[in-house]
Every structure is written in structure tokens, then in C-alpha cells.
Amino acid sequence: MRVPLIMRVIPVLAVTVLLAAQEPWKPPLTSRIKTSTRQVVLFTNLETQMLQAVQKKNQAALTAMLTDDFAIDMPNADRMAGEDWVDSVMSKDFALEKFGVHQMSVIDLGNAAVVKYERLQ
Amino acid sequence: MTTFLGKMKYALVLLFVLLAANFLVAQALKQHVDNPGQTAMDPVPDDINHTHTGSRTQFLPAVPGGKAVVTGNGINYHGGPVLKGNPVPIYLIFYGNWAGSGSNTAATVSLVQHFISTLGGSAIENVATTYGDTTGNVSGNVSLGGTAFVSSSKNLTDRSLQTTVSNVITSGALPRDANGVYMVLTSSNINETSGFCTQYCGFHTHATLGGADIKYAFVGNPDRCPSGCEAQTTGPNSPATGVGGADGMINVMSHEQFEAITDPDLNAWFDTSGQEDSDKCNFNFGTVTTCVTGGICTPAAVSVGSKFNQTFGGNNWTLQQQWENANGGLCVQHL
């Protein structure tokens, strides 16, 4: 006699569910409150000052923070010289309403540093 | 036909009972899993040294009564608890190779233990008494609750750091204490791959381990990245010039334990930008004094004019200031 389909499916489902219950449970890690390195503190402050100068359209303060060879490289675009970048963010067409500097990391190379961070605006 | 169906039903019921029993046992195991990725049947690691080294507990007079939650001082209260033990036990877990050279030595271990043993009631720790929750204030007193050693050459991740804390407790090397703070201190050959030396010098957090809300912190030996995590490469207790790891580590430990006490579950005291009390004064040391001959700095510290700003327990220390939750809020070395 043929066994009804449901009689064949139920045990398979039961075994599947109960086997899944055997997986070791890994509790989620909670957030960490990090003590930033000296370089992270330094560069966070510098980036914040620079972005505040952009926000307030303070060209003098902004250019005082940039070196003569400052340049901006963006994906799929030509390198933008510092002067051109300053002109663009100081124009009436651009407004930086809010910003945030997060997840900064700094690799100290001695005479230089590689700074990575997320900027939200 | 009827016999076959009956046998099938019997077999299915038996199978269900067996699997259900297995399921229930698995739930019990889940509740006893202290270590993510492991099961309760995993053996205790052989490399955990069961060492109980605690200083005699000193009970200081309770902090005079007053308002436990005081606001308006540049830092906000978010409803969570603070640690109000008198004292709050600090448990030290030395991870890595602490029988090495430089600052990875028994001398550093002793200095760190001495620091924790004498920190309670000090001027800098008393700043913590300006913080409280709805049931009382922080006492400003801490003690050395115990020490354990985990010998390893493996770098840590956030996950394995938590596992390390859990293993030390499960093994019995340190007690399970939801009212204490566990500090994992790594030798300079050990990295914490989530960002030690590139993002942070240390951090604190908490987790439910074995049913208890365990507060723990990571502090790495800053000789791994002196420019990032040391105020000076030769500290007031340095055994030799350029060996500033112990003093640098102690400064970060001061930061982390202060925050683990005033914001243990990350829902008590922090400001609008998310900064906790010690964060607001990170690497801010205030007025400092130069080590000179005839004082209690080491000869190496005197030779380079190392700076210090705290003295207790017969030692000079270089400790960041802490945010006082009073007088409008500011970084201070003492109340």
C-alpha cells in the first residue's frame, strides 16, 4: 500500500527542524567603546576643522590648512587641484549642511600617515 | 496494511520522542555555552594558569550622600547602572608572553598589579564619585580582584578576546563577578586585529557569559605603537629609556577602568557625541612635573626628563585627566 505523502514529509520536516537545533549558538558581540589613538584624535580634529571651514564658507581658514600640492582624487574623475576644489566648495551651488567623521584609522609611516575614515554628509 | 501503518506511526512517534529529547538537551547546552563557537563539552585550555593573586581588600568610607544623578556638566545620563562596589574588583588577564624582554616582563606585571592595588581612593579615581545612578554613586574605590595568565602567540579578534575572558572564568582561574571589571592585557607581540594601534589603544564592553553580565576591557602593550598609544616613550617607571610600555599601558588602563565603572553596560554616562568621561580627556594630562634626581622616578626617567602628574602608592604616574561631572564639567586631575 502506498504511504500518504504527508506521512513521508512530516518525519523529514521534523528531522530537519530538530537537527537545526543542534547548531552551537554564538552570542552577538556588543558594541565597544574605543580609546582612540593619538593620531586618530589628531586627524579627527583636523578633518573636523577642515569640514567646519567648508561648512561656514571660510576660505581663509580652509586654505590655511592645505599644503601647496593638495589635491583631490575621486573615482572615475580626473585629479582636482587644491585651488579648484576650494573654489568648488566655496561656490554658492555647494552647501555642506551636516557632516560626521567616523571609523577613522591611522597608519603611522614616520614622515607620513595613511588616514582612512568614513565621512557622512 | 493496517499493521504496516501502525508500525509506521509507532516508529514516527519514537523518532519524534528521541529527537525532541535531543532538542531539549541542546537548549540546555546553549544556555551553558560561555564561549562563542565552542560547546560546553570543550576542554579547558591547558595554558591557563590558575593563579589567584589578590591584594587585601581595603574598604574606604562610603562616599558622603548626595544626588546620585547630577546633570548639566557636559555629559548625560541615559538610565543605566554604574558599578557602585566599595571596592570594585579589577581582574587582570595577562595574555601573550609576559616572561619576555623590554616591557613584556614580570616587572611590568608587578607594576600593573601595584597600580590597580593602590588606585582606589587616589585623587584621580575620586573624580569617579561625581557619577552615579538612581541608587547611588560610584565609590571611587577599586581593588585587585585577581590575576590570570594566558600564554599564547595568537593574535586576538573581538570574538577570541571574549572567548579568552570566558575561558578564564569557566576554568576557575578568576571568579565570575558581574560587579567587577576584567582587563585583558596583551604583550607587545600580540595584535588585536579589529584595530589596535590603528584605531584604538584599548576598549571596553560587556557580554553575558555564563548567565552573568561581565564587563571587560582590552588594553594592549603600547610599545607595539608608541607614537599612537604612549604619551612618552620613557615613563616615570621605565626600567630603561625607550621602554615606556608599562606606564603607557597603565594610562590606558586608567581610562578603561574609569569608563567601565561609570558606563559598564554602555547605557549610563556619555555625551551627545557618544564620548564617555575618559574619552573627553583622552591624552589630556594637564599640568605635569618633570622627573628629577632625588625623586621616586626611575633613573631612566630622570635621564630624559620624563613627566608625571599623579603620585600614590609610592610611585609617580602619568595618567590622563578625567571629566568631572560637576562645576560645569571639565578635565581634572582631582576633585
Side-chain angles (χ1 to χ4, degrees):
Chain A
M1 155 196 170
R2 289 184 63 190
V3 177
L5 177 62
I6 191 168
M7 298 295 288
R8 285 178 282 173
V9 169
I10 287 177
V12 173
L13 286 175
V15 168
T16 302
V17 168
L18 293 171
L19 285 175
Q22 310 306 308
E23 281 296 312
W25 174 67
K26 296 183 181 182
L29 292 171
T30 51
S31 302
R32 304 162 299 154
I33 306 298
K34 297 179 283 190
T35 300
S36 298
T37 67
R38 293 172 63 197
Q39 290 96 340
V40 168
V41 172
L42 172 68
F43 283 102
T44 298
N45 288 339
L46 287 173
E47 290 295 331
T48 300
Q49 286 177 36
M50 188 180 78
L51 293 171
Q52 284 175 340
V54 170
Q55 192 176 49
K56 296 174 183 176
K57 301 285 188 187
N58 188 336
Q59 185 164 348
L62 179 60
T63 53
M65 297 184 70
L66 306 178
T67 59
D68 294 338
D69 58 354
F70 177 83
I72 294 277
D73 287 301
M74 288 181 287
N76 302 318
D78 295 331
R79 169 170 287 193
M80 182 181 286
E83 284 185 7
D84 295 334
W85 178 73
V86 171
D87 288 342
S88 69
V89 297
M90 290 295 146
S91 74
K92 294 180 181 179
D93 298 332
F94 178 83
L96 180 60
E97 295 182 356
K98 293 189 295 186
F99 68 88
V101 176
H102 305 284
Q103 297 295 324
M104 180 175 282
S105 67
V106 179
I107 300 174
D108 186 352
L109 302 177
N111 292 330
V114 177
V115 182
K116 293 197 304 182
Y117 65 95
E118 291 178 1
R119 191 179 82 192
L120 306 177
Q121 61 185 61
Chain B
M1 181 174 72
T2 304
T3 301
F4 174 76
L5 280 177
K7 287 180 180 178
M8 274 296 294
K9 288 180 183 176
Y10 177 78
L12 286 172
V13 168
L14 180 61
L15 176 63
F16 181 79
V17 168
L18 288 172
L19 290 173
N22 205 7
F23 173 79
L24 290 173
V25 170
Q27 298 310 302
L29 279 175
K30 284 180 190 177
Q31 292 175 8
H32 286 289
V33 170
D34 292 332
N35 312 315
Q38 297 182 353
T39 69
M41 300 302 292
D42 283 339
V44 170
D46 292 335
D47 57 358
I48 293 179
N49 188 350
H50 294 234
T51 302
H52 295 269
T53 308
S55 63
R56 182 184 306 173
T57 302
Q58 289 181 303
F59 290 95
L60 297 184
V63 174
K67 291 184 179 179
V69 177
V70 177
T71 59
N73 295 300
I75 193 165
N76 307 314
Y77 180 60
H78 297 84
V82 300
L83 293 182
K84 295 181 289 294
N86 186 10
V88 173
I90 306 292
Y91 301 96
L92 305 179
I93 302 171
F94 288 90
Y95 180 99
N97 177 17
W98 286 98
S101 59
S103 57
N104 303 311
T105 62
T108 293
V109 171
S110 294
L111 185 69
V112 166
Q113 291 175 321
H114 176 65
F115 169 73
I116 293 296
S117 297
T118 56
L119 177 63
S122 66
I124 188 71
E125 193 69 8
N126 272 343
V127 179
T129 61
T130 59
Y131 295 87
D133 58 28
T134 55
T135 63
N137 276 61
V138 173
S139 71
N141 191 16
V142 299
S143 67
L144 178 60
T147 304
F149 294 86
V150 179
S151 177
S152 177
S153 60
K154 290 184 179 179
N155 290 330
L156 288 169
T157 63
D158 290 350
R159 180 69 69 183
S160 65
L161 175 75
Q162 185 180 107
T163 299
T164 296
V165 175
S166 185
N167 282 350
V168 167
I169 295 172
T170 302
S171 73
L174 292 175
R176 191 183 309 279
D177 185 357
N179 297 312
V181 178
Y182 298 77
M183 308 195 82
V184 179
L185 312 173
T186 56
S187 53
S188 61
N189 62 311
I190 300 294
N191 191 20
E192 214 284 22
T193 57
S194 68
F196 175 48
C197 284
T198 57
Q199 293 184 35
Y200 59 79
C201 302
F203 64 81
H204 76 98
T205 184
H206 70 115
T208 300
L209 303 176
D213 179 18
I214 299 298
K215 295 76 174 171
Y216 64 95
F218 164 83
V219 179
N221 186 335
D223 270 348
R224 189 175 176 85
C225 51
S227 62
C229 293
E230 289 180 3
Q232 49 192 352
T233 53
T234 305
N237 300 289
S238 288
T241 56
V243 184
D247 283 308
M249 174 175 269
I250 283 168
N251 172 57
V252 179
M253 289 176 67
S254 177
H255 178 125
E256 298 302 338
Q257 61 84 33
F258 200 96
E259 291 186 340
I261 289 171
T262 57
D263 191 25
D265 288 340
L266 316 188
N267 59 359
W269 290 97
F270 51 92
D271 69 13
T272 53
S273 64
Q275 289 196 314
E276 295 170 314
D277 33 41
S278 299
D279 294 331
K280 296 168 73 69
C281 309
N282 193 23
F283 286 105
N284 178 340
F285 297 90
T287 303
V288 294
T289 303
T290 303
C291 290
V292 295
T293 305
I296 55 175
C297 293
T298 61
V302 172
S303 72
V304 299
S306 298
K307 313 296 184 187
F308 66 94
N309 61 359
Q310 294 282 332
T311 301
F312 55 84
N315 286 72
N316 290 327
W317 313 100
T318 315
L319 305 177
Q320 66 158 84
Q321 299 189 101
Q322 301 287 3
W323 188 263
E324 179 184 2
N325 184 29
N327 299 316
L330 70 166
C331 294
V332 297
Q333 295 179 347
H334 54 80
L335 292 180

